[in-house]
Amino acid sequence: MEEMATKYPISADELINITGVSKGKADRYGKKFLDLIKTYVEDNDIDRPSDFVVKSVVNKSGDKVRIIQAIDKRISIDEIAKMLGMNAVC
């Protein structure tokens, strides 16, 4: 579920690349999940991680995921920086 909440899969191919989602699960439950996710992405004007490329250092990937999630929730840069113990430089 956490991976779906960060990757926002909107196609069956994307869904089966989510950890723990087999082709069988995707066939049985996928349409409902994909319809809900697609509507949520469209209604909230969310840029999905697969829609852009982010270059990062491997040990920073956890921060990257948290930043993407926070941006999707429309949290300000200052608040994201505080949340991660960083200084926002503008």
Side-chain angles (χ1 to χ4, degrees), residues 7-80:
K7 293 186 177 178
Y8 303 106
I10 59 171
S11 72
D13 289 337
E14 292 174 351
L15 186 61
I16 60 173
N17 286 316
I18 299 292
T19 305
V21 179
S22 64
K23 176 133 175 51
K25 284 182 184 175
D27 290 343
R28 275 180 289 190
Y29 312 111
K31 182 168 176 19
K32 288 182 181 182
F33 275 100
L34 294 174
D35 289 346
L36 284 169
I37 293 168
K38 185 174 182 180
T39 300
Y40 181 80
V41 166
E42 290 171 355
D43 290 350
N44 293 284
D45 196 29
I46 293 173
D47 291 323
R48 300 175 321 118
S50 62
D51 293 341
F52 57 92
V53 176
V54 176
K55 294 182 180 179
S56 66
V57 178
V58 174
N59 64 351
K60 297 289 184 178
S61 64
D63 285 346
K64 179 178 77 175
V65 170
R66 285 188 287 279
I67 291 168
I68 291 169
Q69 289 173 328
I71 289 170
D72 288 346
K73 293 176 184 174
R74 305 211 187 279
I75 297 173
S76 74
I77 297 297
D78 290 332
E79 287 299 314
I80 295 170

